[in-house]
Amino acid sequence: METENIGIQSHTVPAFDQQTPSSTASTTLRASNESQLLHELLAHVLKDRIISGEWPAGSRIMSEHALQECYGVSRGTVRRALAQLVQEGLLVQRKGKGTFVTRSGVAHPASARPLSFARALKEQGYDFVTRVLTKEVLPAPAEVTKTLGLAQRTPALFMRRVRYVQDRPVVCQESWENLNACPDLSTHDFEHESLFDAVERSSGHTIAASQIKSTAQKAGREHAGYLGIAPDEPVLVLEQVISLDNHVPIEWSLTWLCGGQGVFGVASQQEISPVKVPHAAMPQPAAEEGLSKEKEQELRLAALDIRQAVVNTAHRYRDLAFHFGGALSAAEIFAALFLDVMHTGHDGTPWEQRDRFVLSKAHAAIGLYPVLLKAGFISQKDIDRGLFGKDAVLFKHPQRDPSRGLETSGGSLGMGLGYAAGLALALRKKQPKVRVFCLVGDGECNEGSIWEAASFAGHYKLSNLVCIVDANGMQLDGTTAKVSDSGPLAAKFAACGFEALDVDGQSVQELHRALTHPHTLPLALIAHTTKGEGLSFSENKVEWHDHKLDEGLFEQACAEIERQREAIEHA
């Protein structure tokens, strides 16, 4: 038990460590409950400063020493109090930099349980009102049936709810509920009853686990209307899949959270890894949008052709190492861009009005050349000339040749996004409908020049710029998390003034939706991929960042790609 003087007085506490108090300004803590631990009381006092907004999101709080002096407590008490608030998701500690407020508003303990906004609001003493805007039993869209493990077109309960605190809308939730597990769920009154409570009563099981994905984006016209904010105002969008204690998925929901609210943690009674790929929009009851089945198949097969061409190039120069991992992980990205989204100048678009592509992760060039061939930028003769020697027009790393779709030379990482941003700024004045696409690697995001360029693009609101991050999680020396963890890339780009989305970079369907997503700010797509995708011996293998291909592995690669081709063609 801590033995320092416990108490409470209502004193104003300095919010930032630029306002460090002197020892004479010490505030004594006194507890009304004699059994309350001192660090819990201190945590409560600090939490009030965060929840009230006195310590705003992103601000650095007072140092440990300043907190000791301010409250007259030991360093151990301060550290335990801070650790509690970190666990609750209200603070984050950055080594060598200090302790920072994550977000002010509603907090939810990390790793405690699935995220219930009703419970989180109640726990923190907020009075709130829930209004149900939509409540219908409808045939579930394909993406919902897949997530909830239902048969196609199975009826599910679709709801749209808005929660108000002090007459102000703070949260808009849209959800699809599994009626197979909770047959009478549609009869409940969700303006007066928690959905989680109703699910547990109806199913006879307890809610046990969840997976949460998140992305920062603009509210958009529809959800801005529900939340009473401007369409361009940023919101946090959370996707959550809830499962019962019998492992049956019960709910898929999307939540739009106004700025200034904080909700944290992937909650589970078990250890569940956060899902990497959030979806940007809830499937609506209306007809689904996206690629046709035929176009999706075409692009998936084109990605296989790209992988086969990468293998063929490496086999041609089998004594040399090639950048396999990053070329293979980007195959679907190349296919979606050049064969679906971009106006190439070879598709009837006037040449000067073509979209531009900049390959910043230039070591993936052997994956780019096959799609340039398909898109009409280069010829088979160009390929046959090889990558070396006096007859070559294509090289292991690209050399600038706009007529062949190579807008800039590459090799040194971190340079492409700056070039693309400058190109976008110039084209906005001359050809305002032209878009500029730039592909960077997640390891490349260790380069400071990437963030300088991102800040420039955000400042000038270059809405004609799209930065795609091939987030395959690996780089030359190991995993990106271990070499130099860049953290949540979507949040970083959003902080630079981008609209940022996380997508499955191996899904041409998701890439299509994201790349055609309307935006009035520069767009960053964090495309989560697998290093060395498509070949069993190279997937998630750091050594295949740059590797030779021997005869045995060449034959194995060709056989694996052919099996994948047959599976797609007969699906």
Side-chain angles (χ1 to χ4, degrees), residues 288-307:
E288 297 174 46
E289 298 179 358
L291 295 169
S292 66
K293 183 177 180 181
E294 293 75 16
K295 186 64 176 180
E296 181 178 10
Q297 182 185 66
E298 174 192 331
L299 294 178
R300 291 177 67 195
L301 290 172
L304 283 184
D305 291 341
I306 292 169
R307 291 191 174 96

Side-chain angles (χ1 to χ4, degrees), residues 399-526:
Q399 292 189 16
R400 186 174 187 271
D401 187 348
S403 67
R404 289 186 167 90
L406 303 170
E407 299 294 337
T408 183
S409 299
S412 295
L413 293 175
M415 309 303 293
L417 186 57
Y419 183 91
L423 189 57
L425 182 62
L427 286 170
R428 185 169 69 179
K429 298 179 179 180
K430 298 191 297 183
Q431 298 285 350
K433 293 184 179 180
V434 173
R435 302 174 80 192
V436 179
F437 298 88
C438 180
L439 180 63
V440 306
D442 54 350
E444 186 180 7
C445 290
N446 295 157
E447 299 280 357
S449 52
I450 291 289
W451 302 109
E452 182 180 0
S455 179
F456 173 91
H459 174 75
Y460 286 101
K461 294 181 171 58
L462 299 178
S463 59
N464 57 339
L465 175 65
V466 178
C467 177
I468 306 157
V469 181
D470 181 4
N472 59 40
M474 293 186 178
Q475 56 194 98
L476 175 63
D477 299 325
T479 64
T480 54
K482 289 185 177 179
V483 175
S484 182
D485 190 0
S486 295
L489 290 173
K492 286 191 172 183
F493 276 98
C496 290
F498 279 66
E499 184 170 345
L501 302 172
D502 285 89
V503 299
D504 182 349
Q506 248 75 75
S507 166
V508 293
Q509 188 71 259
E510 285 203 26
L511 287 167
H512 167 83
R513 289 177 179 144
L515 290 166
T516 56
H517 174 72
H519 55 99
T520 57
L521 298 172
L523 178 64
L525 302 183
I526 315 305

Side-chain angles (χ1 to χ4, degrees), residues 185-365:
L185 198 60
S186 62
T187 65
H188 289 253
D189 178 3
F190 293 108
E191 292 195 347
H192 300 94
E193 181 178 13
S194 161
L195 177 59
F196 277 23
D197 292 342
V199 163
E200 292 184 338
R201 263 201 317 278
S202 178
S203 67
H205 292 272
T206 57
I207 290 173
S210 73
Q211 295 175 326
I212 298 177
K213 312 170 186 181
S214 65
T215 186
Q217 63 184 65
K218 292 185 302 180
R221 187 178 301 276
E222 179 185 6
H223 293 94
Y226 300 141
L227 294 171
I229 59 178
D232 288 343
E233 190 166 329
V235 293
L236 182 68
V237 182
L238 304 177
E239 179 185 0
Q240 184 170 210
V241 179
I242 303 290
S243 297
L244 300 172
D245 56 8
N246 60 355
H247 306 294
V248 172
I250 186 67
E251 176 186 294
W252 186 31
S253 66
L254 278 185
T255 300
W256 281 261
L257 189 66
C258 287
Q261 312 302 316
V263 184
F264 304 91
V266 173
S268 174
Q269 303 306 334
Q270 306 170 359
E271 285 297 321
I272 294 184
S273 299
V275 180
K276 292 194 301 182
V277 187
H279 296 265
M282 166 67 75
Q284 295 298 313
E288 297 174 46
E289 298 179 358
L291 295 169
S292 66
K293 183 177 180 181
E294 293 75 16
K295 186 64 176 180
E296 181 178 10
Q297 182 185 66
E298 174 192 331
L299 294 178
R300 291 177 67 195
L301 290 172
L304 283 184
D305 291 341
I306 292 169
R307 291 191 174 96
Q308 183 64 64
V310 169
V311 169
N312 292 344
T313 299
H315 182 249
R316 179 177 179 178
Y317 302 102
R318 65 193 66 148
D319 292 331
L320 298 176
F322 282 86
H323 290 96
F324 265 87
L328 295 176
S329 65
E332 282 80 10
I333 298 171
F334 288 138
L337 281 171
F338 283 90
L339 305 179
D340 176 39
V341 175
M342 287 177 60
H343 298 294
T344 63
H346 294 279
D347 58 353
T349 305
W351 182 249
E352 288 304 315
Q353 295 176 25
R354 75 192 187 280
D355 293 331
R356 311 302 206 267
F357 176 76
V358 175
L359 182 64
S360 190
K361 48 171 283 179
H363 47 274

Side-chain angles (χ1 to χ4, degrees), residues 89-110:
L90 291 171
L91 296 177
V92 61
Q93 293 178 317
R94 297 172 186 164
K95 189 174 181 180
K97 296 182 179 180
T99 303
F100 294 79
V101 178
T102 50
R103 295 182 186 272
S104 57
V106 181
H108 186 85

Side-chain angles (χ1 to χ4, degrees), residues 311-322 324 535 537 544 547-558:
V311 169
N312 292 344
T313 299
H315 182 249
R316 179 177 179 178
Y317 302 102
R318 65 193 66 148
D319 292 331
L320 298 176
F322 282 86
F324 265 87
L535 302 179
F537 56 82
W544 279 90
H547 207 285
K548 296 179 182 179
L549 186 71
D550 62 32
E551 190 67 30
L553 289 178
F554 170 71
E555 293 177 1
Q556 180 181 338
C558 292

